[in-house]
Structure formats: structure tokens, C-alpha cells
Amino acid sequence: MSSTAPAWSERLNEAAAWRRAQGLWRERCTPPAGTIDFAGNDYLGLAGDPRLAEAQAAGARDYGAGAGASHLVSGHLEVHEALERRLAELVGRPRALLFSTGYMANLGTLQALCDSATQVFQDRLNHASLLDGAGLAGARSRRFHHRDLDDLDRLLARAASDSARLVVSDGVFSMDGDVANVAGLAEISARHGAWLMIDDAHGLGVLGAHGDGCVGRGHGVDRVPVLVGTLGKALGTAGAFVAGSEALIEHLIQFARPYVYTTAQPPGVAAATLAALDILAIEPERRERLRVSIAYFRHEAARLGLPLADSFTPIQPLVLGDAGRVMRWAARLGEAGLRVGAIRPPTVPRGEARLRITLRATHDRDSLDRLLETLARLHGEDGR
Ligand SMILES: *Cc1c(COP(=O)(O)O)cnc(C)c1O
């Protein structure tokens, strides 16, 4: 008996050929030593801070290199509990629940809150993990136009009124750097009896009077019942949390499979995050330095005629449109010792390939000038 199913090797070859033919082949990146990084999300420059490394080592010595089990078995250690309390405090919520990654926090939250009857409304530019989370729950996501409150209002008004509704948005959009209108989203959601979930992965640590993000203490749990923050970006470590009411957190502990069925985060990482939160509180000048750098970079870029997207966050996209052009510019910047993100479809819509330039508190003026000069040279060569 012979099968007509295509061989696995053929399927893989076809997929690879398809991606290469579109010029979208992806490769992992280890920047050479000495490269100045304008690609990462370490906005406050904390990932390399020796105080975090020390705290991580001490955490590992005190509690072990690994947690040894999931939170519900025996892996929920004192350091996790302490971190959850501090995170809840930071964002002004009754409780917070620690997840191993932001991707898992979003999967777990949406999977636990939704089922196939739930109506989910997502900004068109939401992070992939938010779409995947709704998918894991078997819920259909309706996409509203980016930051378009009228479009959301229309979709909610048209939707059947007999099932639970959840509005979901990034806080700071990861590829665009613009910020959701949280107050507007909260008002519309409340009016339609929907809950609002904001993923503030890129706002936490950077925005807000206390680094509490674009939601934080400014928009309470009554307005934004579900708040997600990640720890691998401005806080420099790894992991994520969901913050909200007692009832929400208990629901997630009961029902979020990506929470229940995984080993708790290594305790050293939690200890390092506690150190990062200390620094966030006692060194507000990091956020100030970042603001000054953003203003300087935008001012100089405008003078040089570089078409930056409209963003006041550390994410400063330069939309070049064509994926080939983006790869060429990124390679030339790389030769100059400057690493920027080269973002192509399917991460962004077709025709909107871009350099994703990110600024951090520890960039000095010379580094910014080097980046600006190289961008200006490439811009001139392209004759635009
Ligand atoms: C990075 C990111 C995530 C995923 O967080 P990880 O901790 O890296 O898994 C989720 N949401 C948004 C908006 C992000 O930018």
C-alpha cells in the first residue's frame, strides 16, 4: 500500500521556497561586539545593569536556579509572591499574577476569559500573542481600524447583545510606537458592557508618572479591568504579569492553562525584577534621559528630512515601504556598527516594511549622532 500524502521534507522545502521567493526569509541575529543597539526593547538600559545581575545571582543562591515545579504544585516561592505584590502596587491594582512570558500571559488570559461564544474586538495592529490567545479560546476576533474609536463603536453596536464582549488593545503599539487612547477605549467599552484588556508591554517602565505605563494608576481597575505588563522590555529581565481584581486573578489561577501547566519562572529572574523595580522608583532620571533623547532624535531627524512615524515613545519607526530597501538600509547600518530592527510582512502590513529604531536611556549623544548621520547618508543616496 502506498500513501499519497506529500512527504514532510517536501512540505518543508515548499514553505521555505515560498518565503524566500517573497524576499521574507528570516534570520536570527547575534550582533557583533561593539555594535550599538537600536533594535532591542531594553528602554531603560537595565538588562545589563550589574545590580540586576547581582540580585539574580543572590536569588538563585537563596531559592535555587529553577523553581522546580509549577505554581500550583510547589513552585510558587516567596520571591514570586513578593514580586506579584510589588507589580500590583506599581500599576494600582488589587492583585497581579506572574507569567513566564508575555506571550503566555496573553494566551492564558484570553483562553481563560473567552470561549467560542465570546465576542472579541481587537485593534488591527495588536500583537500576535493577543490574536493567538483568542484563537486558543476558539473565539473569533473582529478587528477594528487602528486606534479608530468610531469603528470600534460601530462594531460593538452591530454585534449580538447576548454574549460576553472583550475589547483588546496594545497600550503602546510595538511596531509603530503610538499609544492607544485608553480613556476613549474605556468609555466605549463601558457603554457597550464590554471588558477592556490592555497589553502595556512597551509602556510599562517608560510612560506614566511612576513608570506605571499608559494605563497604570491613571486608569483604575474599573476602567481597565485586565492589564498585562511584560518584564523583558523596559524592566530588563523576563516574564510578564496580569493585574486586576481579586476575582480576575483567581479565575486565571483556576483556568489559564498557560499558567497552570508550566514551571514557575526561575526565582533569580523574579529577584532581578524586584531590583529593577527598586531602580525604577529611585532613578526617575532614566525616564527623563529617555525623553530628552527621543526629543533630540526626532528634532534632528526632521531637520534631515527623515520620514519618521509620529511617535513620542522610544519606538521610532522609519517606514520605507519596500522590504528590499529595508534590508539594504539595515545591512548598511550594520556595517557602520549600528543595529536597528528590520521589520517586514507578515509582522507589519504589506507595503509598510520599516526600520524599527528604538532608543534607550543609556544611549549617548555621539551614538544618536552616528545613527542620524548614517540614516541621512542612506536617505541621500536613495535620492528622496
Ligand atoms: C513583546 C510583546 C509581548 C510578548 O512578551 P514576551 O515576554 O516577550 O513574550 C506581548 N505583547 C506585546 C505588545 C509585546 O510587544
Side-chain angles (χ1 to χ4, degrees):
M1 276 205 313
S2 76
S3 160
T4 54
W8 276 101
S9 57
E10 251 170 65
R11 289 172 59 116
L12 269 48
N13 285 339
E14 268 170 32
W18 183 76
R19 181 143 274 191
R20 282 187 197 281
Q22 293 185 308
L24 297 179
W25 189 252
R26 295 166 173 223
E27 281 177 90
R28 297 177 299 174
C29 171
T30 310
T35 303
I36 306 171
D37 190 282
F38 289 99
N41 306 312
D42 180 21
Y43 306 122
L44 297 176
L46 290 176
D49 193 296
R51 290 169 289 182
L52 269 64
E54 273 314 311
Q56 188 158 339
R61 277 194 295 271
D62 291 349
Y63 297 98
S70 67
H71 286 275
L72 292 168
V73 173
S74 62
H76 187 65
L77 308 177
E78 280 163 39
V79 67
H80 297 129
E81 185 67 28
L83 178 55
E84 287 180 346
R85 273 199 303 274
R86 284 285 296 279
L87 290 167
E89 229 170 81
L90 174 66
V91 296
R93 261 97 184 131
R95 280 189 74 184
L97 186 71
L98 192 58
F99 280 77
S100 296
T101 73
Y103 189 89
M104 289 169 73
N106 284 337
L107 283 189
T109 303
L110 284 155
Q111 171 260 309
L113 288 178
C114 304
D115 59 27
S116 60
T118 315
Q119 306 190 60
V120 182
F121 301 85
Q122 304 218 29
D123 187 290
R124 191 173 267 180
L125 297 188
N126 274 357
H127 192 262
S129 56
L130 294 166
L131 294 165
D132 293 355
L136 187 61
R140 191 176 139 229
S141 287
R142 269 164 258 223
R143 320 279 291 267
F144 55 93
H145 296 310
H146 179 50
R147 295 181 76 249
D148 187 339
L149 297 178
D150 292 337
D151 194 35
L152 171 62
D153 200 16
R154 242 186 328 269
L155 286 180
L156 278 161
R158 273 214 308 260
S161 56
D162 55 350
S163 53
R165 297 143 172 228
L166 183 66
V167 173
V168 185
S169 178
D170 279 21
V172 174
F173 288 86
S174 51
M175 297 301 139
D176 292 74
D178 52 352
V179 184
N181 178 348
V182 176
L185 289 169
E187 191 272 313
I188 290 176
S189 301
R191 185 147 46 76
H192 291 278
W195 255 17
L196 175 60
M197 170 176 178
I198 302 278
D199 172 1
D200 203 16
H202 296 273
L204 193 83
V206 172
L207 301 180
H210 312 273
D212 50 333
C214 75
V215 177
R217 301 180 208 171
H219 301 278
V221 72
D222 50 330
R223 294 223 267 177
V224 183
V226 189
L227 172 59
V228 176
T230 68
L231 310 173
K233 284 157 185 161
L235 290 174
T237 58
F241 66 95
V242 180
S245 66
E246 183 73 30
L248 171 71
I249 300 308
E250 280 304 326
H251 182 81
L252 296 179
I253 293 172
Q254 302 306 316
F255 299 110
R257 298 168 63 88
Y259 181 78
V260 173
Y261 297 107
T262 198
T263 301
Q265 169 179 83
V269 178
T273 308
L274 281 167
L277 291 172
D278 287 340
I279 296 173
L280 189 70
I282 61 175
E283 296 181 2
E285 61 270 25
R286 286 176 184 265
R287 292 198 294 285
E288 183 53 29
R289 273 206 299 274
L290 192 52
R291 271 193 289 276
V292 169
S293 284
I294 293 166
Y296 175 76
F297 181 73
R298 290 193 63 81
H299 182 264
E300 293 300 300
R303 205 172 53 76
L304 295 166
L306 294 165
L308 286 180
D310 195 14
S311 156
F312 65 89
T313 67
I315 301 166
Q316 294 290 324
L318 190 59
V319 178
L320 299 176
D322 175 60
R325 187 150 170 247
V326 162
M327 297 315 284
R328 193 154 38 77
W329 282 42
R332 288 282 300 279
L333 287 157
E335 287 161 19
L338 304 161
R339 170 78 188 165
V340 301
I343 312 291
R344 299 169 288 170
T347 305
V348 292
R350 193 157 289 284
E352 293 182 30
R354 67 196 61 188
L355 298 179
R356 179 177 179 270
I357 296 161
T358 56
L359 304 180
R360 60 171 79 161
T362 46
H363 283 142
D364 58 18
R365 201 43 78 82
D366 274 356
S367 305
L368 293 174
D369 286 340
R370 248 172 84 185
L371 175 61
L372 285 158
E373 276 160 26
T374 312
L375 289 171
R377 187 155 2 103
L378 288 162
H379 188 53
E381 285 174 14
D382 270 17
R384 290 197 351 152

